[in-house]
Amino acid sequence: MSREDLAPGPETATETTDADRFTNARAIRSTALFEDYTELIADLTEEFGEARITDIARRLGVTHPTANKAVLRLKREGLAISRPYRGVFLTEAGAAMAREVKARHRLVVRLLIAVGVPPEAAEMDAEGIEHYVSETTLKAFEAYLDGRG
Amino acid sequence: MSREDLAPGPETATETTDADRFTNARAIRSTALFEDYTELIADLTEEFGEARITDIARRLGVTHPTANKAVLRLKREGLAISRPYRGVFLTEAGAAMAREVKARHRLVVRLLIAVGVPPEAAEMDAEGIEHYVSETTLKAFEAYLDGRG
DNA sequence: ACAGAAATGTAGCCGATGCTATATTTCAAA
DNA sequence: TTTGAAATATAGCATCGGCTACATTTCTGT
């Protein structure tokens, strides 16, 4: 006996299922770390002219071996480049991701503040929320902030 | 030479640092899965009187060994109980988590829709966002939805 | 009652993401 | 210039969360 026989549930035909949503969330979870790293490397490069492993690690609150391993993955994915014992730099793809993430971050913070969230909490929560905001939702946020919401 | 010497940055004294935010986000990431499972087990129990591994797996879009392992972790954490080859049930702690998560989920979806996000996108994005919404932000959402925003 | 189907459990693999401990290299100051 | 400190790299460990393959148990229909 399958449960669908007993209770088809609200979803029919082409609707989005629970599984779709969870699968989507899992996919995002796996890219969130890359987004954090590219954004941070962009920040550090702007501030200091380069992003050093030690600084990356300190800003993220992890040990440097952890940061180093993550940078290896970034390089493998074509998002960053670096030479041994030297700073890390973003590729064009990495820089593009960083710009995109930063824009999303700012928009999420602005929206949270606009609906009454204290700035400190908005910054804190945005750090996690930003990764899950879709293009559609982003557009809606923009419209809302432009007073058309 | 440490970078703090060159650029103290905006944070001083008791302010929240980047590292604090990222550490917070990582902590949440590690509980997000438990929240998904407890919420789902609560739903299935209400619908069918029990939550079976196969149904949990299908709803989450994972294989049953994956669901089984997660349930083992839930049991280890005191959030669920089960006997071999039988359905899974929440402990009081698990049920409390489920109630809390469900309330948060509904509130996030309502807020997203209120600021103009299409319901379908709101449901999709809420699945990830809900885990990162703090108590403070939740209160702000409530106030906003009550027209006091 | 029993055979086959369905559900559940277990073993073992993999990659991601954290850690500590230990090289190695670079940098800075005497 | 050289030497000690700082930064970086690497090795090895653990857990999580996904998978496939296979064993076991329960359920169901004849």
Side-chain angles (χ1 to χ4, degrees):
Chain A
M1 178 187 68
S2 174
R3 249 70 198 271
E4 279 85 350
D5 303 334
L6 288 179
E11 68 276 347
T12 332
T14 57
E15 277 190 27
T16 305
T17 66
D18 290 332
D20 290 335
R21 283 194 289 275
F22 286 119
T23 299
N24 177 253
R26 273 196 305 277
I28 289 172
R29 210 170 293 163
S30 76
T31 63
L33 195 111
F34 283 168
E35 296 189 343
D36 286 342
Y37 272 85
T38 54
E39 185 179 2
L40 177 51
I41 291 169
D43 284 350
L44 290 168
T45 302
E46 190 172 341
E47 284 181 53
F48 304 117
E50 65 174 347
R52 303 190 312 171
I53 291 290
T54 297
D55 294 325
I56 293 171
R58 182 176 41 240
R59 288 260 184 124
L60 287 176
V62 297
T63 60
H64 36 94
T66 295
N68 199 283
K69 254 190 218 178
V71 168
L72 288 181
R73 287 193 293 273
L74 284 181
K75 290 166 74 171
R76 201 185 54 200
E77 296 297 320
L79 296 168
I81 50 171
S82 75
R83 299 198 337 277
Y85 295 96
R86 295 296 166 193
V88 181
F89 300 90
L90 294 176
T91 61
E92 190 35 57
M97 176 181 282
R99 280 191 299 273
E100 204 250 307
V101 171
K102 188 171 294 294
R104 231 184 319 163
H105 181 91
R106 276 194 296 258
L107 201 49
V108 168
V109 170
R110 279 212 299 146
L111 182 109
L112 290 175
I113 290 173
V115 300
V117 177
E120 183 82 1
E123 270 297 340
M124 181 67 86
D125 293 9
E127 200 58 63
I129 291 173
E130 60 183 17
H131 302 295
Y132 296 89
V133 176
S134 65
E135 221 22 71
T136 301
T137 297
L138 221 48
K139 289 269 186 275
F141 284 5
E142 266 168 16
Y144 178 86
L145 289 167
D146 284 357
R148 291 179 275 115
Chain B
M1 178 187 64
S2 174
R3 250 70 196 271
E4 279 83 353
D5 304 335
L6 288 179
E11 68 276 348
T12 334
T14 56
E15 278 191 28
T16 305
T17 65
D18 290 332
D20 290 334
R21 283 195 289 275
F22 285 118
T23 299
N24 176 253
R26 273 196 305 278
I28 289 172
R29 210 169 294 164
S30 75
T31 64
L33 195 110
F34 283 168
E35 296 189 343
D36 286 342
Y37 272 86
T38 53
E39 185 180 1
L40 177 52
I41 291 169
D43 284 350
L44 289 170
T45 302
E46 190 173 340
E47 284 182 52
F48 303 115
E50 66 174 347
R52 303 190 310 173
I53 291 291
T54 297
D55 294 325
I56 294 172
R58 181 177 42 240
R59 288 259 185 125
L60 288 176
V62 298
T63 59
H64 39 94
T66 295
N68 199 284
K69 254 191 217 177
V71 167
L72 287 181
R73 287 195 292 273
L74 285 181
K75 288 166 75 172
R76 202 185 55 202
E77 297 297 321
L79 296 168
I81 50 170
S82 74
R83 299 198 336 276
Y85 295 96
R86 295 296 162 191
V88 181
F89 299 90
L90 294 175
T91 61
E92 190 35 57
M97 177 181 282
R99 280 191 298 272
E100 204 250 307
V101 171
K102 187 170 294 290
R104 232 185 317 164
H105 182 90
R106 277 194 295 255
L107 201 49
V108 169
V109 170
R110 279 214 298 149
L111 182 110
L112 289 175
I113 291 174
V115 300
V117 176
E120 183 82 0
E123 270 297 341
M124 181 68 87
D125 292 9
E127 200 57 62
I129 291 173
E130 60 182 15
H131 302 294
Y132 295 90
V133 175
S134 64
E135 241 350 276
T136 301
T137 296
L138 221 48
K139 289 267 186 275
F141 284 5
E142 267 168 15
Y144 179 84
L145 289 168
D146 284 357
R148 290 179 275 115

